[in-house]
């Protein structure tokens, strides 16, 4: 049973960089059938997709966040990471990592438990 | 950009009854629509994909229907664990445009 686990600081200062890692267990991140995404949810609000990465390193980002966003993958550690720069209070949210499929199967069938990141001085 | 509109925002239904949730999409996505359930403090869980296919372990009381731009999630014989927020997401276009509806909160009447 695939497991995803987010990790990283729970508190980030404004203007700094938010960094999170998603560790994947019981499945190989190198499977060509899947993409690996970050999704966030501000307190009391809905879901916002941030971006995805393929095991090859190719990425696709939400245009609204693209200028501040970098995603990377480490296949040797079976994990992928998120860096979001120049954060503000508006970036405070629960951050989830999730897996989706390929063409026409790009729905999220597995999710991490989520990690709350608060942007505050 | 594809816009997902869910209605109603909040739905009050008594246990044992049937809940009907709607999702409208701004352009046709054929049958490529997913539904998720989210309980407080938990990650979303995939319920339905391909408009009507239940994900692994999802009870038969959850039924998805629709195609094109109009979709429905029906939950029969509501149980206490079904009261949650439900989101729809289209999975038709490529590269994927991952947009979710704003959610419908299903609450106990």
């Amino acid at each position: 049973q695939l497991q995803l686990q987010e990790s990283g600081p729970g508190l980030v200062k404004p203007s700094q960089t938010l960094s999170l890692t998603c560790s994947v267990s019981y499945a190989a991140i190198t499977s060509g059938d899947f993409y690996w995404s970050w999704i966030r949810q501000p307190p009391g609000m809905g879901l916002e997709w941030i971006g995805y990465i393929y095991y090859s390193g190719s990425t696709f980002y939400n245009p609204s966040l693209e200028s501040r966003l970098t995603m990377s993958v480490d296949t040797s550690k079976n994990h992928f990471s998120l860096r979001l720069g120049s954060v503000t209070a508006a970036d405070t949210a629960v951050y989830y990592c999730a897996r989706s499929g390929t063409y026409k199967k790009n729905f999220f069938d597995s999710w991490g438990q989520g990690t709350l990141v608060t942007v505050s001085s | 950009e594809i816009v997902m509109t869910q209605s109603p925002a909040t739905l009050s239904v008594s246990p044992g009854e049937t809940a009907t949730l709607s999702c409208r999409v701004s352009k046709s996505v054929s049958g490529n629509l997913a539904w998720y359930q989210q309980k407080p403090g938990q990650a979303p869980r995939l319920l339905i994909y391909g408009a009507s296919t239940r994900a692994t372990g999802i009870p038969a009381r959850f039924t998805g229907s629709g195609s094109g731009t109009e979709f429905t999630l029906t939950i029969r014989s509501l149980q206490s664990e079904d009261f949650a927020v439900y989101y729809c997401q289209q999975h038709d276009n490529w590269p994927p445009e991952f947009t979710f509806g704003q959610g419908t909160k299903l609450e106990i009447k």
Side-chain angles (χ1 to χ4, degrees), chain A residues 35 37 39 41 45-49 52 60 96 100-109 111-113, chain B residues 32 34 36 38 41-46 49-50 87 89-98 100 102:
Chain A
Y35 288 75
S37 281
I39 297 160
Q41 185 172 37
M45 299 181 66
L47 300 164
E48 180 184 33
W49 172 73
Y52 75 65
F60 194 76
Y96 297 101
S100 63
T102 55
Y103 185 69
K104 302 296 184 184
K105 297 182 179 180
N106 40 310
F107 46 83
F108 301 102
D109 65 349
W111 297 65
Q113 65 184 27
Chain B
N32 297 306
Y36 301 86
Q38 186 178 33
Q42 296 185 17
R45 175 177 71 149
L46 177 68
Y49 61 91
Y87 294 96
Q89 177 235 331
Q90 63 84 14
H91 58 90
D92 186 66
N93 57 353
W94 194 264
E97 184 182 328
F98 292 113
F100 297 88
Q102 78 277 24

Side-chain angles (χ1 to χ4, degrees), chain A residues 64-95:
Chain A
S64 69
L65 298 169
E66 187 167 11
S67 63
R68 301 189 289 132
L69 187 58
T70 302
M71 292 178 64
S72 59
V73 61
D74 187 332
T75 57
S76 67
K77 295 181 179 178
N78 216 42
H79 73 208
F80 61 104
S81 299
L82 162 77
R83 286 174 58 86
L84 182 66
S86 305
V87 297
T88 69
D91 295 308
T92 293
V94 175
Y95 285 75

